């Protein structure tokens, strides 16, 4: 049995894509008899709520760690190593860009994307610490886990990580129940889902919808997800839209499955992505996907989505028009999406991380 200290901080608060992935991994790994998992949280405010987010069989370490202070210290020093507050563990997994120092335990740091390197202007101030923290972890011998080969190539080039210390393990996606896209009295709608941040480029989607809405008088655009540092730009885009009354800002949804399954088309207009969880969730719900060819998105969706250039509102409108049309093309997208989702099982995802832990503990 391998003992693992696992960063469960992304489970606290409004569940983002990273939180969904971390929760899925922790649930899958908690059922394995060859692992002993202890969750920790880099937070003081959410510390008390963490046990309620953990699956059965996963304990919580007894010491809360304030994220800001811990990150500033770890950026320069190897103080407060994991063994001091997590006990005698063999592997420490920092699941969101930050892994604590350790005396003897092997370390894994998950790097979801290189937004903070490639597009620092799109990041909140706290996230700008990540490149330095990852660089220090790599210099200290940490293994880097990434969700896609596209991110692996970027990490290898930027941080000069040796191939044997760079591991690709994608998250899984659960198959959901497919429901009719619309019904009596329910207008068709395009759905976007995710934290409202500049990287998601939702203003371009609003402009594309405004063009599309003139030709589809019943069509609605729904934007779901927690508020972020791109909220003002989205609000201004909606206010400038001719068809703004047909644009709904839903906010964060505790369970987005119903609104996802009811969508006619799912739109993913990102400027850059390290993985792209929401398109796969849409495919799992039987909803056709239109996405930008941004970062790892083409790798993740394969031929199961309509791909358009980044930042091109006209091309995005044309892609949505294509996916909205009933017929063989739409049917092909739905069938290809179901086949694509089958390649991202949680068992495969769990086996990938468990295999990594065992290799590091044995080494």
């Amino acid at each position: 049995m391998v003992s693992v200290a696992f960063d469960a901080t992304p489970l606290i608060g409004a569940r983002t894509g990273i939180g969904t992935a971390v929760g899925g991994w922790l649930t899958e790994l908690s059922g394995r008899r060859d692992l002993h998992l202890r969750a920790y949280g880099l937070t003081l405010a959410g510390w008390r709520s963490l046990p309620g987010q953990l699956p059965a069989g996963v304990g919580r370490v007894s010491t809360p760690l304030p994220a800001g202070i811990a990150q500033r210290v770890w950026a320069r020093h190897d103080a407060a190593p994991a063994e001091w507050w997590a006990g005698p563990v063999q592997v420490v997994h920092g699941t969101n860009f930050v892994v604590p120092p350790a005396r003897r335990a092997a370390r894994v740091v998950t790097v979801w994307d290189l937004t903070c390197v490639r597009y620092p202007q799109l990041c909140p101030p706290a996230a700008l610490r990540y490149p330095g923290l990852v660089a220090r972890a790599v210099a200290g011998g940490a293994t880097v886990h990434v969700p896609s080969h596209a991110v692996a190539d970027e990490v290898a080039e930027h941080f000069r990580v040796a191939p044997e210390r760079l591991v690709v393990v994608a998250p899984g996606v659960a198959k959901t129940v497919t429901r009719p896209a619309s019904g009596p009295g329910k207008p068709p709608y395009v759905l976007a889902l995710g934290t409202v941040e500049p990287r998601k480029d939702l203003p371009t989607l609003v402009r594309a919808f405004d063009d599309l809405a003139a030709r589809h008088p019943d069509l609605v655009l729904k934007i779901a997800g927690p508020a972020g540092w791109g909220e003002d730009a989205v609000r201004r885009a909606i206010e400038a839209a001719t068809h703004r009354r047909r644009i709904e800002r839903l906010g964060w949804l505790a369970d987005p499955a119903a609104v996802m399954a009811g969508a006619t088309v799912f739109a993913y207009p990102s400027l850059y992505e390290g993985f792209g969880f929401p398109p796969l969730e849409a495919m799992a719900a039987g909803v056709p996907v239109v996405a930008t060819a941004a970062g790892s998105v083409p790798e993740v969706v394969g031929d199961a989505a309509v791909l358009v250039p980044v930042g091109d509102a006209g091309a995005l409108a044309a892609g949505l028009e294509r996916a909205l049309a009933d017929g063989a093309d739409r049917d092909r997208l739905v069938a290809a999406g179901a086949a694509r989702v089958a390649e991202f099982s949680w068992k495969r995802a769990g086996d990938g991380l468990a295999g990594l832990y065992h290799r590091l503990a044995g080494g």
Side-chain angles (χ1 to χ4, degrees):
M1 180 177 288
V2 176
S3 57
V4 182
F6 189 96
D7 183 4
T9 312
L11 303 184
I12 299 170
R15 192 70 63 90
T16 64
I18 292 177
T20 300
V22 168
W25 260 309
L26 199 54
T27 299
E28 182 66 28
L29 294 172
S30 67
R32 298 184 65 109
R33 296 183 178 181
D34 58 339
L35 297 177
H36 178 252
L37 299 172
R38 300 190 70 197
Y40 67 91
L42 297 179
T43 175
L44 291 181
W47 178 247
R48 294 184 183 278
S49 67
L50 182 57
Q53 305 300 318
L54 301 176
V58 178
R60 184 192 66 169
V61 302
S62 58
T63 305
L65 299 167
I69 295 173
Q71 290 176 17
R72 283 191 287 271
V73 170
W74 293 338
R76 296 176 177 272
H77 309 285
D78 291 337
E83 290 89 345
W84 285 15
W85 43 267
V89 295
Q90 295 166 279
V91 179
V92 183
H93 186 173
T95 59
N96 195 19
F97 295 96
V98 182
V99 63
R103 287 294 177 88
R104 294 180 178 274
R107 297 190 297 157
V108 180
V109 59
T110 297
V111 176
W112 292 99
D113 55 56
L114 288 193
T115 305
C116 297
V117 172
R118 299 186 59 185
Y119 304 102
Q121 72 277 14
L122 302 182
C123 297
L128 296 178
R129 299 192 193 111
Y130 291 162
L133 287 161
V134 172
R136 184 172 175 83
V138 169
T143 294
V144 181
H145 160 236
V146 294
S148 66
H149 292 280
V151 177
D153 291 342
E154 293 181 338
V155 167
E157 179 180 1
H158 183 79
F159 293 105
R160 301 190 181 280
V161 182
E164 63 270 17
R165 289 203 289 123
L166 187 57
V167 178
V168 179
V169 181
V173 180
K175 179 65 178 176
T176 60
V177 177
T178 304
R179 303 173 209 179
S182 61
K186 296 181 180 180
Y189 60 89
V190 175
L191 176 67
L193 175 66
T195 303
V196 179
E197 56 179 286
R199 182 168 57 91
K200 300 303 182 181
D201 199 17
L202 293 169
T204 293
L205 175 59
V206 170
R207 290 191 290 272
F209 172 78
D210 209 30
D211 177 22
L212 193 65
R215 300 186 296 279
H216 295 265
D218 296 330
L219 191 65
V220 172
L221 171 62
K222 297 186 179 187
I223 300 174
W229 53 102
E231 196 74 39
D232 289 344
V234 173
R235 176 182 50 78
R236 290 193 297 270
I238 293 174
E239 290 173 351
T242 301
H243 303 282
R244 55 186 171 274
R245 295 185 182 278
R246 288 157 56 192
I247 301 175
E248 301 177 14
R249 177 72 179 95
L250 301 182
W252 179 72
L253 303 175
D255 183 7
V259 71
M260 178 71 85
T264 311
V265 178
F266 182 78
Y268 203 59
S270 288
L271 297 173
Y272 169 72
E273 289 292 335
F275 184 69
F277 207 75
L280 290 176
E281 292 180 312
M283 292 176 186
V287 178
V289 173
V290 179
T292 48
S296 66
V297 173
E299 174 188 337
V300 172
V301 301
D303 65 350
V306 177
L307 291 175
V308 300
V310 172
D312 189 331
L316 183 56
L320 292 170
E321 185 102 61
R322 174 183 163 189
L324 283 167
D326 289 329
D329 199 23
R330 180 180 171 87
D331 292 342
R332 186 201 68 79
L333 287 172
V334 172
R340 191 65 180 169
V341 166
E343 300 180 27
F344 293 88
S345 73
W346 275 116
K347 184 180 186 306
R348 179 183 295 181
D351 287 346
L353 282 191
L356 171 61
Y357 298 157
H358 277 274
R359 176 168 67 82
L360 292 176

